[in-house]
């Protein structure tokens, strides 16, 4: 019994040390998006960064297009369509996609559908190629989001 326990532990250790250094779980299959800062006043610049390390190296989801949308979270009134912040085409092999938006221009040009002092999501929609059974390429889409709050503090 004692021997069995010891053997089980050492095989766990062997498994752990054989695992790749990259820790990827399913939530990372379309990339990870972060926004900094997460609270924006008029005039502030936000840096939006997407990391595709797990998406590319573990899931083979190589981004062809990355679209960044400002969205009203879940229970909006149904008329607040997502607002396109940026459409990008990362170079093949790119693991990090980064750009800035300023709350006084693109984020501010939203008087009819969007409101200040409110919470939004920045949604990353990632389009990536797949191999069809006949050898042709087709594209599928997945996404992740990060929350952001837009205030009027400096307006
Ligand atoms: C947003 O919140 C700030 C701080 O509470 C307030 O001064 C401002 O009037 C609010 N703006 C709107 C449009 O509600
Ligand atoms: C598609 O096939 C090519 C050639 O075999 C391969 O390099 C590529 O990784 C495949 N892509 C996917 C998404 O499976």
């Amino acid at each position: 019994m004692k021997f069995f326990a010891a053997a089980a532990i050492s095989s766990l250790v062997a498994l752990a040390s054989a695992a790749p250094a990259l820790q990827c779980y399913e939530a990372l299959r379309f990339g990870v998006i972060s926004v900094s800062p997460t609270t924006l006043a008029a005039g502030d610049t936000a840096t939006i960064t997407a990391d595709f390390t797990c998406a590319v190296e573990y899931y083979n989801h190589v981004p062809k297009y990355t679209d960044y949308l400002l969205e009203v979270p879940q229970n909006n009134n149904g008329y607040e369509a997502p607002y396109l912040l940026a459409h990008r085409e990362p170079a093949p092999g790119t693991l990090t996609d980064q750009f800035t938006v300023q709350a006084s221009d693109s984020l501010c040009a939203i008087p009819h559908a969007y409101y200040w002092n409110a919470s939004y999501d920045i949604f990353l929609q990632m389009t990536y190629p797949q191999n069809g059974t006949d050898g042709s390429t087709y594209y599928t889409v997945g996404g992740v989001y990060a929350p952001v709050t837009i205030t009027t503090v400096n307006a």
Side-chain angles (χ1 to χ4, degrees):
M1 210 47 170
K2 216 172 173 190
F3 172 76
F4 178 77
I9 288 165
S10 66
S11 69
L12 275 180
V13 170
L15 269 179
S17 53
L22 194 60
Q23 295 290 306
C24 291
Y25 48 95
E26 211 187 350
L28 304 179
R29 68 196 188 283
F30 304 126
V32 183
I33 182 174
S34 59
V35 182
S36 179
T38 53
T39 298
L40 287 177
D44 287 352
T45 296
T47 300
I48 299 175
T49 307
D51 185 311
F52 298 109
T53 305
C54 280
V56 169
E57 294 186 355
Y58 191 82
Y59 290 98
N60 203 14
H61 294 165
V62 180
K64 168 77 171 164
Y65 308 118
T66 53
D67 290 282
Y68 297 84
L69 307 169
L70 185 71
E71 295 189 338
V72 176
Q74 298 327 329
N75 43 15
N76 78 39
N77 62 19
Y79 297 95
E80 294 163 309
Y83 176 89
L84 183 67
L85 292 173
H87 169 78
R88 296 166 63 82
E89 291 193 41
T94 299
L95 296 181
T96 305
D97 192 27
Q98 186 175 73
F99 66 101
T100 60
V101 283
Q102 194 177 20
S104 60
D105 44 45
S106 57
L107 284 177
C108 207
I110 47 181
H112 24 274
Y114 289 85
Y115 303 95
W116 296 97
N117 285 348
S119 295
Y120 299 98
D121 288 334
I122 292 183
F123 184 75
L124 160 61
Q125 178 178 285
M126 195 262 260
T127 305
Y128 58 98
Q130 299 277 278
N131 292 326
T133 50
D134 64 356
S136 64
T137 299
Y138 66 97
Y139 290 90
T140 49
V141 169
V144 288
Y145 67 87
V148 63
T149 299
I150 301 174
T151 73
T152 54
V153 175
N154 299 334

